[in-house]
Amino acid sequence: MSIILGKDDLAKYPFLEEAGTYVRESHFDLDDFNRSEFLHIIERASKRIEFALIQGKVFMDLEKYDIELFTFLVSLIMMKYIYEDSAIKKFSLFEAIRVERFLISDLLKEKDLRKKNLLISRIFRELFQLDVDLDTKKNNLFKMNISNYLDRATQFNEIEWKLINRAVDNGYVYLDVDETVRLIRYEIYKLMYNKIKNMNITKIPEQIRFHATLIKNKLIPTIKYTKNTTDLPPCIKKALEFLNKSENLPHSARFMLATYMLSLGKSIDEVVSLFQNAPDFNEKITRYQVEHLAGKKGSQTKYSVPACSKLVNENLCYATIDCKGITNPIQFGRNRK
Amino acid sequence: MKKEINTKNKDFLTTLFKEYYFKNLGLLNPPIQMPNREFGFMTFDGKVIRHLSFSKLGSLKAYIIQNVPSDIFCSNAYYQFPTFPINEKGWKGADMIFDIDLNDLLLSCQKEHTFYICSNCNVVSRDYINQCYKCHNTTILKNTIPCFRCITSLKKETKNLIEFLKKDFGIQEKNLEVSFSGNTGFHVVVCQDNYMLLDSKSRSDVAGYLMGRNLTPESFGVRNDKGGYRIKIPLSGFSYGWRKRIVQRMKIPVSSDHLNKFIKKIGGYPSFKNEIDKIASEIGVKIDPQVTTDIHRIFRMVGSLNGKSGLSKTICYDLDKFDPMTDSCFFENDKSVDISINIPLKFHIKGKKYVLDKSISSVPVSVAVFLISKRLANVANYSS
Ligand code: SF4
Ligand SMILES: [Zn+2]
Ligand SMILES: [Zn+2]
């Protein structure tokens, strides 16, 4: 008996080939989206996007597979219409995290070993060319060869991803479910991003355009510090670069960045919005933390920017010649005309 | 490093290197995928010539006999166009390479056999100098004649590396090539498919792994928690790789309770971290990370002579029995040359002990090549 992925699986992983086949075989036309039966799907797609772009939350609702497949499709079309690259990036990240969560829970819960292996093979092997095996003799850990691991893990900056902090044996790295799935976050992200970017639609249905425009108008224009970055100290510039690439920043770096921006007199809103691109951005938590640093919450003390010596210790310093003679990033550029 | 050498010495070495390559061409093995490798040479005048390619062993040998370089290198990388500039070569992968050198071992015996030599007038000092006291030249070469202890330590370190490579990285014996560098170290080359395509960043991570850098308490499930600590042993346990090595060394049975007792006893999270760092740097392999990280390196070729010693880079089939000063020395013992030495010296070559004082001595050709390459002697009289 061969085993296949069920429709419930497609609802969670709508980027799999079978999902596309299903949509194609349902003989439906883009113009159908203008019909009123589809309105709830479009509204659902709007909500999914707003969750990511405005509230900074992962949309974890799960409906019947046909609703999910169409919602997914509509949200991609809407993002195509919204067009702005930073928004597409952000949406792709939240979609990646959504997939990540489903995948982790499926891999943890699934009792049927064949089903589990199928999921691994479809997603890891076929989609991302990552050879992962379940090692039932070793605590059900996932194993992959060292080079496959390194190709992905070297993108992360956290020390925990260094090979030395992993269980390594005989050419393989052993990871638990969370770690294994985390390793492909960037690839899922890229998959989503490319899906939107490469989508070729000649005429976007009116009803979709309307809802997409509503969202577009709600987007706060993101504050970009790209213009005057020459005035920023290298450590701050580097942290902003990471954020722009939507890479994760260690807490020490977030602390540095937030205290620095506050010391420049930026508002809480401005500082919060800086972190919008962080893969795990949560507006509420970020706002609370920034207010705390600004002395508006808790102990009421304003936190100062950490000294260069501390940043050096935390591996956050990227000193250049312009850093000569300063002991705190806030002194950067003060002596220049 | 600038490396001028006086004409008499240069002529002497050129003649003998040429003779070596005539007689021992068989020792030069063609590297795997030879047409895709970049070759490089160093001349006796210290010039480096790179970006050459030889599709067949025959043409490489002809080049060597004709030009007699002091050193011969071959890239660890495979290229589509080996002769093009680095960025246009079309990189197709590279062997993983490791260099274990006396410089990184920091042995206490170094002082007894290290010399500082003026590159201009060959004045030799046993003490560190940064300027020649005779001609005031500031280019000072540092040379060492490895003693028995040095060689033993290098071998021990090399074995340590091999163990890591086999056990942790799953490298098969047949894909490992271990050789004496010809001067003061050993080279290990890994030619195994699954590691060929690693980029520089990944190789740097591999180097860090081998050296024992950045191992964290968190990897053992020990977390810093508001001045104290929490323990949650990871699912992957302590039975592999570094965790296993460290836990064995600390002699802790694997359980939260034992680990907790141990950490408490030594003074909490920070002390635990220090302890890990200490053990890791002891057990870690002392490789030169720059070599391993370089995916475009030209690396000394097996079977070629090392211009800094006149010894040949030689494969070690049996590391324990390998004696560099005998097994890598291919020059004659029965012909003599008069040399003037610049400083009193004691050393072994081909199983014979030499004690030379500061004057002209008549020594076998093998000894002369060695000392002249090391810049510790000059040719006084030689007719071939
Ligand atoms: S020296 Fe100070 S200001 Fe300059 S990069 Fe380092 S931490 Fe930042
Ligand atoms: Zn001098
Ligand atoms: Zn020694």
Side-chain angles (χ1 to χ4, degrees):
Chain A
M1 191 188 79
S2 77
I3 173 160
I4 55 163
L5 288 182
K7 290 183 170 148
D8 293 343
D9 299 315
L10 295 189
K12 292 179 223 159
Y13 312 113
F15 46 84
L16 288 174
E17 208 184 296
E18 292 93 323
T21 314
Y22 171 81
V23 173
R24 244 173 285 124
E25 282 174 356
S26 64
H27 293 296
F28 110 110
D29 188 275
L30 267 188
D31 279 334
D32 291 342
F33 281 129
N34 286 328
R35 293 187 0 226
S36 60
E37 305 98 276
F38 276 99
L39 190 60
H40 76 284
I41 289 202
I42 295 174
E43 281 170 350
R44 210 163 164 269
S46 293
K47 197 170 159 203
R48 185 157 170 170
I49 294 173
E50 284 192 13
F51 256 59
L53 301 190
I54 294 164
Q55 301 175 42
K57 280 198 276 184
V58 187
F59 185 77
M60 290 306 293
D61 251 24
L62 194 60
E63 282 266 5
K64 269 182 53 212
Y65 77 99
D66 45 356
I67 296 187
E68 278 308 329
L69 295 193
F70 282 113
T71 308
F72 181 65
L73 180 62
V74 172
S75 40
L76 298 189
I77 300 176
M78 284 177 128
M79 285 313 300
K80 182 84 194 176
Y81 183 77
I82 290 174
Y83 194 76
E84 200 182 314
D85 196 57
S86 65
I88 297 181
K89 278 189 177 144
K90 196 166 170 193
F91 175 75
S92 307
L93 256 167
F94 278 89
E95 283 297 301
I97 298 172
R98 174 182 159 99
V99 173
E100 208 175 292
R101 292 195 185 156
F102 285 136
L103 196 51
I104 288 173
S105 102
D106 278 356
L107 290 173
L108 283 176
K109 272 190 273 168
E110 185 60 64
K111 291 276 177 302
D112 184 347
L113 199 61
R114 285 180 311 162
K115 180 76 189 294
K116 207 164 168 172
N117 275 323
L118 182 70
L119 205 54
I120 293 170
S121 128
R122 291 304 315 279
I123 293 185
F124 289 94
R125 268 185 232 129
E126 287 173 34
L127 220 45
F128 303 125
Q129 285 81 47
L130 173 56
D131 227 327
V132 186
D133 278 306
L134 199 58
D135 198 327
T136 44
K137 282 189 224 86
K138 290 184 177 167
N139 253 337
N140 270 332
L141 287 166
F142 288 84
K143 73 171 197 181
M144 66 186 73
N145 79 37
I146 291 178
S147 17
N148 272 334
Y149 172 82
L150 286 174
D151 284 345
R152 290 158 178 91
T154 49
Q155 294 167 356
F156 303 130
N157 295 298
E158 292 94 344
I159 201 168
E160 58 175 290
W161 291 97
K162 292 228 177 292
L163 191 59
I164 195 168
N165 291 313
R166 295 288 153 198
V168 174
D169 187 38
N170 199 25
Y172 290 96
V173 180
Y174 292 86
L175 300 172
D176 66 24
V177 175
D178 292 48
E179 293 159 344
T180 311
V181 174
R182 177 71 178 83
L183 208 52
I184 58 163
R185 175 185 290 178
Y186 188 64
E187 279 152 291
I188 309 176
Y189 158 79
K190 266 200 308 211
L191 179 84
M192 298 294 173
Y193 180 82
N194 289 334
K195 261 195 181 315
I196 299 169
K197 282 283 183 180
N198 301 335
M199 191 183 255
N200 203 346
I201 290 188
T202 37
K203 195 171 164 289
I204 296 179
E206 174 57 36
Q207 196 149 242
I208 294 185
R209 264 188 287 153
F210 173 74
H211 280 86
T213 312
L214 288 183
I215 299 178
K216 216 174 167 170
N217 292 338
K218 279 195 219 166
L219 293 180
I220 341 156
T222 41
I223 307 143
K224 288 212 175 102
Y225 286 95
T226 39
K227 273 194 198 105
N228 290 325
T229 45
T230 44
D231 305 337
L232 295 170
C235 44
I236 300 292
K237 251 200 270 180
K238 199 77 188 175
L240 286 172
E241 259 172 55
F242 275 124
L243 278 180
N244 282 338
K245 281 189 272 170
S246 287
E247 279 178 44
N248 223 339
L249 270 191
H251 277 285
S252 48
R254 293 174 192 221
F255 181 86
M256 165 192 77
L257 190 56
T259 49
Y260 182 83
M261 289 299 168
L262 289 169
S263 81
L264 288 188
K266 303 278 175 214
S267 72
I268 305 258
D269 280 332
E270 283 173 306
V271 179
V272 170
S273 71
L274 275 178
F275 293 96
Q276 269 184 23
N277 278 344
D280 52 358
F281 178 70
N282 175 317
E283 154 125 38
K284 238 175 85 190
I285 296 180
T286 308
R287 180 170 297 278
Y288 173 83
Q289 288 171 344
V290 174
E291 282 173 352
H292 190 86
L293 295 181
K296 302 242 156 73
K297 280 264 153 71
S299 55
Q300 310 274 312
T301 40
K302 198 171 163 200
Y303 286 80
S304 43
V305 185
C308 294
S309 56
K310 180 143 195 284
L311 298 174
V312 169
N313 273 333
E314 292 173 329
N315 266 338
L316 298 172
C317 168
Y318 292 85
T320 61
I321 186 94
D322 293 329
C323 292
K324 216 174 134 195
I326 62 173
T327 54
N328 190 297
I330 52 168
Q331 296 159 345
F332 188 86
R334 275 198 189 158
N335 303 329
R336 278 180 295 159
K337 300 141 251 167
Chain B
M1 199 184 287
K2 214 166 84 199
K3 186 187 130 179
E4 287 145 25
I5 181 166
N6 81 41
T7 343
K8 238 175 163 181
N9 291 343
K10 186 181 138 186
D11 290 347
F12 173 76
L13 290 179
T14 309
T15 312
L16 281 147
F17 273 39
K18 188 169 185 168
E19 211 178 288
Y20 166 88
Y21 285 116
F22 250 128
K23 286 187 194 152
N24 302 295
L25 270 178
L27 292 174
L28 278 179
N29 284 323
I32 297 169
Q33 290 189 39
M34 182 160 176
N36 299 102
R37 307 265 196 165
E38 176 198 350
F39 287 83
F41 304 93
M42 177 115 95
T43 69
F44 279 103
D45 301 318
K47 281 198 210 81
V48 178
I49 305 161
R50 280 191 75 161
H51 312 298
L52 298 180
S53 148
F54 298 92
S55 51
K56 286 190 309 262
L57 194 59
S59 43
L60 172 67
K61 287 177 175 174
Y63 181 97
I64 295 171
I65 298 285
Q66 197 171 26
N67 297 283
V68 196
S70 69
D71 300 86
I72 306 173
F73 306 99
C74 166
S75 65
N76 64 330
Y78 306 86
Y79 301 109
Q80 199 172 1
F81 310 110
T83 58
F84 284 23
I86 287 281
N87 293 327
E88 297 161 37
K89 281 187 191 308
W91 191 84
K92 297 204 299 196
D95 298 340
M96 267 212 290
I97 50 176
F98 303 94
D99 180 21
I100 291 179
D101 195 275
L102 272 187
N103 273 331
D104 299 307
L105 258 47
L106 310 172
L107 301 172
S108 56
C109 60
Q110 285 313 295
K111 270 182 44 204
E112 295 158 26
H113 47 62
T114 295
F115 308 93
Y116 298 89
I117 304 154
C118 168
S119 70
N120 179 42
C121 70
N122 277 0
V123 152
V124 182
S125 154
R126 281 182 175 274
D127 298 317
Y128 172 77
I129 48 168
N130 54 18
Q131 192 181 37
C132 173
Y133 50 78
K134 216 163 128 195
C135 75
H136 304 291
N137 167 31
T138 51
T139 309
I140 304 295
L141 311 171
K142 187 182 160 198
N143 274 348
T144 189
I145 299 183
C147 69
F148 185 71
R149 261 180 73 197
C150 291
I151 300 296
T152 313
S153 310
L154 284 169
K155 284 183 180 174
K156 204 176 130 215
E157 209 55 32
T158 306
K159 282 191 213 156
N160 189 17
L161 170 65
I162 295 171
E163 194 211 88
F164 264 99
L165 290 175
K166 284 184 178 167
K167 272 212 179 109
D168 295 27
F169 288 84
I171 309 287
Q172 290 169 273
E173 180 82 44
K174 66 172 173 37
N175 297 328
L176 268 175
E177 181 194 88
V178 182
S179 55
F180 170 61
S181 75
N183 195 21
T184 55
F186 283 85
H187 291 168
V188 174
V189 176
V190 170
C191 181
Q192 188 162 302
D193 280 350
N194 52 341
Y195 293 103
M196 286 293 183
L197 291 174
L198 287 186
D199 62 12
S200 192
K201 221 174 163 190
S202 298
R203 286 173 200 238
S204 146
D205 205 351
V206 170
Y209 185 95
L210 294 166
M211 298 172 84
R213 288 187 177 166
N214 287 321
L215 185 60
T216 63
E218 283 75 9
S219 148
F220 296 79
V222 180
R223 253 159 251 284
N224 203 347
D225 187 19
K226 301 185 195 98
Y229 60 90
R230 272 180 297 133
I231 301 178
K232 187 176 169 245
I233 296 198
L235 199 58
S236 45
F238 293 163
S239 9
Y240 317 109
W242 267 104
R243 293 181 204 164
K244 182 177 176 187
R245 290 188 180 87
I246 299 277
V247 169
Q248 272 177 354
R249 182 65 89 88
M250 290 177 171
K251 301 198 176 67
I252 322 172
V254 184
S255 81
S256 290
D257 280 355
H258 283 105
L259 190 57
N260 190 14
K261 254 188 228 148
F262 180 85
I263 300 175
K264 215 172 235 155
K265 204 180 89 198
I266 63 170
Y269 180 93
S271 319
F272 184 58
K273 189 176 183 328
N274 286 342
E275 192 66 18
I276 294 174
D277 282 345
K278 210 181 92 207
I279 299 177
S281 70
E282 271 169 39
I283 308 181
V285 193
K286 281 140 204 90
I287 52 170
D288 176 349
Q290 280 188 18
V291 172
T292 303
T293 308
D294 195 345
I295 57 168
H296 294 291
R297 196 160 191 101
I298 47 171
F299 208 45
R300 193 173 294 285
M301 221 179 142
V302 168
S304 71
L305 292 173
N306 191 317
K308 287 190 221 132
S309 66
L311 301 175
S312 142
K313 173 162 169 177
T314 318
I315 295 197
C316 311
Y317 294 102
D318 184 342
L319 196 56
D320 285 319
K321 292 209 187 102
F322 188 82
D323 170 18
M325 298 307 267
T326 301
D327 299 333
S328 290
C329 181
F330 287 82
F331 292 100
E332 288 177 73
N333 252 5
D334 39 20
K335 225 197 231 161
S336 313
V337 194
D338 288 348
I339 55 165
S340 62
I341 46 166
N342 307 336
I343 201 160
L345 295 166
K346 249 191 277 176
F347 56 92
H348 281 87
I349 278 192
K350 291 194 164 181
K352 215 178 142 201
K353 188 173 181 185
Y354 294 88
V355 183
L356 304 178
D357 60 11
K358 202 178 178 176
S359 61
I360 297 201
S361 334
S362 178
V363 295
V365 170
S366 56
V367 174
V369 171
F370 180 68
L371 294 181
I372 293 167
S373 299
K374 286 267 176 203
R375 304 286 210 109
L376 293 169
N378 294 303
V379 185
N381 196 1
Y382 176 70
S383 52
S384 51

